[in-house]
């Protein structure tokens, strides 16, 4: 008995010591948050006050915006980083924050330098982002003179040694010395493989007028890419790397982001009237004092943290579960001008989650928040963050299907951007192309709205490789056309070749194998080959790595009377671009009959001869438009050539007819 009592006392003492030590770094909050009251208990204890701006959802929930959730102790990712951040939204719209971030070396070599993304500096004069974008993004323009910035005011080790004098801005992509979106600094001592370092930082962010996913519009705030973020250190083998090292790029006019998975515990201090939507979930009730409100959010196995605040949000929440969605609170932060559209937003969100869970795999998070920005904050609309998305800005009280399309697109990002987490600097199509493909699938399945692939392919007049650094595309149009549209059509082309059922297996296998793994284009090709048991080198080489489009054409048709009766026609077909694939060829004759043949498309030209009792009228290659990557349809059809004698007789006959018509019009 004495030994057991001593053992219990020793365990309690060690636990207390660990808790006291962890307070310094904010870890105690995460521990205590495990014991938050259940949502129902909190709801009963603190009913929503009248006039809070909540919309009653179909579940009959009250405001719910302040109800905490307890984290689940399930580790899904490698959790390279751990952020504990405290940020205050000042009355003038600036953010002041401090963070303690712990980084673990995931490689096999010692690391001496750390790279930091300081994204808000993209909105400073002379930045690479402003130079490349011309101050506009997706049709939205930066307000003249409304600049943003990030000032790192403290950078220390956990022992208190300052590292700020070691900080230097680097521009590995373009050498623009005015760009301050990426910085590096030397550590006091190298971090050995598997070991960790903890850094303490303080920073100030000046928010621009809402533009490019970030800023302030009246009392609305969108905080995206708002804190100093450690870049990704890739071990050998990641995305095909032969040697480990940092993958660090500046913030460009076209590019989005790339980060490691980790844990985020974030305190957000805002004016008391504000409602806050954020990545993850609240772990405790907000505290209110001196006209301010402090929210506490927690998220794990995510690679970013975004938040938005406004006193005008109309809040609605519904609990939802289905196959692949064990249980999630769908939270809507709605602009008041669209309060009558609550059901459309919630229906789109729940329907998309349900299908994504069935098609690809589990949605493992407990929340999904949708923010609808006000009309004057369109630059904040249509963006994705882990467990939080923004819809299109509320410019219309009666929008068309663009409302649903934006919502399902951004929710699809939760899978390809959020969990698979591709490198959007270098392989953006693995996120945007996959998300656009999934968006089309969702819109067709939920609303019966189908995209016209033939028309969309015709827009692609300047195809470029899909595996290309985002800032190397031919402007923002080239980036959008290739990464979003052509990337989607490449996936659709694979589906056309293998069938919808096999394509579903490919997409699910890819998600299941590489979620939380940062895969590459080559990784996706391996999945395609494993599922289909075929080699796809020619396809990926043509459409992904060389940036080609398919172009099947009828080059010439020569039809003449045959010596033994009937007609003989010689047809030359060409494949002017793309990889080999079978294609249908249609022959129509003067008596209305048709003949179809299949050309395997292996060679870039094919000579065919057709004999028929009646004259050949025309030839059409791919008449059903099954080759979705063919963007030059005008050469898919050609009338039969007329023999010289017949052409002369026809010309004389037409001349006489025209002369006669002119004579009748003479005065």
């Amino acid at each position: 008995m004495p030994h057991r009592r001593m053992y219990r006392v020793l365990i309690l003492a060690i636990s207390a010591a660990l808790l006291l030590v962890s307070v310094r770094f904010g870890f105690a909050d995460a521990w205590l948050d495990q014991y938050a009251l259940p949502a129902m208990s909190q709801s009963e204890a603190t009913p929503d006050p009248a006039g809070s701006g909540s919309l009653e959802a179909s579940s009959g929930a009250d405001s719910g915006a302040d109800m905490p959730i307890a984290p689940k102790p399930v580790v899904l990712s490698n959790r390279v980083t751990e952020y504990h951040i405290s940020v205050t939204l000042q009355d003038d719209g600036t953010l002041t924050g401090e963070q303690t971030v712990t980084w673990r070396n995931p490689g096999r070599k010692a690391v001496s330098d750390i790279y930091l993304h300081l994204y808000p500096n993209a909105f400073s004069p002379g930045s690479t982002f402003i130079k490349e974008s011309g101050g506009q993004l997706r049709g939205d323009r930066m307000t003249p003179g409304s600049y943003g910035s990030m000032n790192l005011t403290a950078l220390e080790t956990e022992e208190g040694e300052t590292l700020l004098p070691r900080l230097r801005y680097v521009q590995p992509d373009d050498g623009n010395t005015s760009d301050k979106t990426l910085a590096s600094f030397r550590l006091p001592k190298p971090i050995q493989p598997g070991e960790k370092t903890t850094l303490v930082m303080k920073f100030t962010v000046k928010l621009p007028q809402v533009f490019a996913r970030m800023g302030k519009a009246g009392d609305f705030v969108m905080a995206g890419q708002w804190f100093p973020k450690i870049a990704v250190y890739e071990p050998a083998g990641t995305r095909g790397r032969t040697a480990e090292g940092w993958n660090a790029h500046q913030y460009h006019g076209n590019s989005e982001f790339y980060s490691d998975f980790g844990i985020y515990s974030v305190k957000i201090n805002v004016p008391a009237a504000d409602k806050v939507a954020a990545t993850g979930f609240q772990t405790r009730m907000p505290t209110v004092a001196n006209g301010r409100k402090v929210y506490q959010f927690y998220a794990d196995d995510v690679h970013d943290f975004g938040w938005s605040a406004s006193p005008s949000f109309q809040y609605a929440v519904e609990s939802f579960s289905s196959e692949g969605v064990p249980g999630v609170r769908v939270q809507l932060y709605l602009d008041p001008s669209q309060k009558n559209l609550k059901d459309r937003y919630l229906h789109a969100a729940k329907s998309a989650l349900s299908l994504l869970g069935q098609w690809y795999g589990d949605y493992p998070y407990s929340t999904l928040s949708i923010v609808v920005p006000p009309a004057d904050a369109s630059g904040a609309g249509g963006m994705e963050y882990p467990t939080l998305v923004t819809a299109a800005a509320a410019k219309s009280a009666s929008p068309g299907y663009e409302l649903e399309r934006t919502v399902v697109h951004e929710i699809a990002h939760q899978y390809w951007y959020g969990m698979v987490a591709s490198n959007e600097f270098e392989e953006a199509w693995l996120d945007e192309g996959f998300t656009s493909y999934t968006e089309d699938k969702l819109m067709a399945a939920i609303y019966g709205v189908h995209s016209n692939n033939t028309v969309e392919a015709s827009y692609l007049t300047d195809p470029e490789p899909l595996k290309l650094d985002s800032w190397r595309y031919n402007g923002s149009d080239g980036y959008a056309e290739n990464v979003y549209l052509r990337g989607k059509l490449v996936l659709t082309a694979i589906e056309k070749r293998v069938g919808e059922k096999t394509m579903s297996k490919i997409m699910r296998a890819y998600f299941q194998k590489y979620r939380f793994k940062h895969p590459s284009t080559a990784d996706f090709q391996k999945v395609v080959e494993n599922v289909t048991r075929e080699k796809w080198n020619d396809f990926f080489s043509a459409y992904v790595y060389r940036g080609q489009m398919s172009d099947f054409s009828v080059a010439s048709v020569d039809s003449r009377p045959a010596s033994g009766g009937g007609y003989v026609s010689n047809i030359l077909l060409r494949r002017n671009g793309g990889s080999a694939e079978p294609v249908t060829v249609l022959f129509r004759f003067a008596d209305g009959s048709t003949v179809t043949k299949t050309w395997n498309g292996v060679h870039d030209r094919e000579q065919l001869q057709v004999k028929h009792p009646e004259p050949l009228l025309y030839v059409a290659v791919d008449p059903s438009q099954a080759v979705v990557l063919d963007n030059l349809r005008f050469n898919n059809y050609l009338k039969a050539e007329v023999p010289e004698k017949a052409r002369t007789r026809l010309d004389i006959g037409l001349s006489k007819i025209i002369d006669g018509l002119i004579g009748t019009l003479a005065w």
Side-chain angles (χ1 to χ4, degrees), residues 123-145:
F123 305 105
S124 298
S127 74
T128 292
F129 176 87
I130 291 180
K131 285 186 174 183
E132 291 179 351
S133 69
Q136 57 181 329
L137 185 70
R138 300 189 298 187
D140 189 54
R141 286 189 171 275
M142 187 175 184
T143 302

Side-chain angles (χ1 to χ4, degrees), residues 548-554 574-578 604 632 635:
Q548 293 184 2
M549 293 294 286
S550 179
D551 181 19
F552 288 96
S553 68
V554 184
R574 288 187 183 276
R575 177 168 58 82
N576 303 312
D604 59 7
L632 299 174
N635 60 11

Side-chain angles (χ1 to χ4, degrees), residues 87-91 95 221 267-276 287-295 307-310:
V87 62
T88 298
L89 172 62
Q90 304 291 351
D91 293 337
L95 304 178
V221 168
K267 291 181 179 179
I268 304 173
N269 185 318
V270 294
D274 277 7
K275 302 178 186 67
V276 173
T287 59
V288 181
N290 302 318
R292 308 287 300 182
K293 183 185 289 187
V294 179
Y295 288 82
W307 60 275
S308 181
S310 172

Side-chain angles (χ1 to χ4, degrees), residues 334-342 344-345 372-378 391-404:
L334 191 59
D335 184 77
S337 68
Q338 289 191 340
K339 62 182 180 181
N340 296 329
L341 302 177
K342 176 199 73 177
R344 285 179 62 181
Y345 282 105
V372 183
D376 59 348
S378 59
K395 293 185 176 181
S396 170
S398 182
Y401 273 123
E402 65 269 17
L403 182 155
E404 285 82 5

Side-chain angles (χ1 to χ4, degrees), residues 311-544:
S312 302
F313 281 145
Q314 300 288 300
Y315 180 82
V317 60
E318 288 190 2
S319 297
F320 178 72
S321 62
S322 67
E323 179 187 347
V325 186
V328 61
R329 286 172 64 180
V330 181
Q331 304 177 127
L332 177 62
Y333 297 81
L334 191 59
D335 184 77
S337 68
Q338 289 191 340
K339 62 182 180 181
N340 296 329
L341 302 177
K342 176 199 73 177
D343 291 341
R344 285 179 62 181
Y345 282 105
L346 291 173
H347 176 270
K350 292 187 295 182
S351 300
L353 274 179
S354 176
L355 290 175
L356 291 166
Q358 293 175 40
W359 293 346
Y360 305 137
D362 287 356
Y363 179 82
Y365 307 111
S366 58
T367 60
L368 174 66
S369 297
I370 304 153
V371 173
V372 183
D376 59 348
S378 59
M383 188 55 191
E384 70 281 356
Y385 306 89
T387 78
L388 181 145
V389 302
T390 63
K395 293 185 176 181
S396 170
S398 182
Y401 273 123
E402 65 269 17
L403 182 155
E404 285 82 5
R405 186 173 287 279
T406 303
V407 171
V408 303
H409 178 95
E410 303 309 333
I411 292 176
H413 270 304
Q414 295 301 308
Y415 280 70
W416 307 121
Y417 151 86
M419 285 183 270
V420 172
S422 308
N423 184 338
E424 292 186 289
F425 290 118
E426 298 177 2
E427 297 181 273
W429 88 283
L430 290 177
D431 174 34
E432 297 296 355
F434 279 58
T435 298
S436 297
Y437 170 85
T438 304
E439 168 203 320
D440 278 1
K441 290 288 186 183
L442 291 169
M443 290 300 294
I446 302 169
Y447 301 104
V449 176
H450 299 267
S451 294
N452 190 322
N453 292 328
T454 302
V455 173
E456 291 177 334
S458 70
Y459 297 155
L460 298 169
T461 57
D462 187 17
E464 298 178 78
L466 293 179
K467 193 180 185 306
L468 187 67
D469 295 338
S470 295
W471 59 95
R472 301 191 191 281
Y473 283 97
N474 186 18
S476 58
D477 289 343
Y479 172 79
E481 289 175 7
N482 285 277
V483 167
Y484 288 76
L485 183 53
R486 205 171 71 80
K488 175 190 80 170
L489 292 178
V490 164
L491 295 176
T492 305
I494 296 174
E495 179 183 312
K496 288 287 187 180
R497 294 195 185 191
V498 303
E500 191 170 0
K501 185 176 180 180
T502 300
M503 188 63 180
S504 296
K505 291 180 181 178
I506 289 171
M507 298 295 280
R508 184 178 180 87
Y510 175 64
F511 174 77
Q512 291 289 332
K513 183 176 179 63
Y514 289 110
R515 66 179 194 150
F516 305 108
K517 297 286 178 61
H518 306 306
S520 67
T521 297
D523 293 323
F524 176 63
Q525 182 178 339
K526 289 176 186 176
V527 172
V528 175
E529 293 178 340
N530 288 338
V531 173
T532 61
R533 300 180 183 274
E534 297 176 7
K535 289 295 183 182
W536 285 75
N537 290 336
D538 290 345
F539 181 94
F540 276 78
S541 178
Y543 298 126
V544 175

Side-chain angles (χ1 to χ4, degrees), residues 79-83 100-107 109-115 187 190-192 194-199 230-234 244 246 260-261:
R79 297 187 179 181
V80 172
T81 56
E82 182 166 347
Y83 290 87
T100 300
V101 55
T102 299
W103 181 79
R104 174 177 56 81
N105 180 357
K109 296 181 179 180
V111 174
S112 299
D113 295 88
I114 295 285
Y115 282 79
L187 293 163
I191 310 168
Q192 299 302 315
E195 292 187 353
K196 298 179 180 180
T197 185
T198 298
L199 302 166
I230 295 180
V232 177
Y233 188 85
E234 295 182 324
E244 64 183 69
W246 290 100
D260 266 321
F261 288 97

Side-chain angles (χ1 to χ4, degrees), residues 603-620:
H603 302 292
D604 59 7
R605 55 186 291 159
E606 184 80 4
Q607 186 77 48
L608 301 178
Q609 187 175 84
V610 177
K611 294 180 180 180
H612 197 273
E614 297 293 328
L616 178 66
L617 293 181
Y618 65 81
V619 180

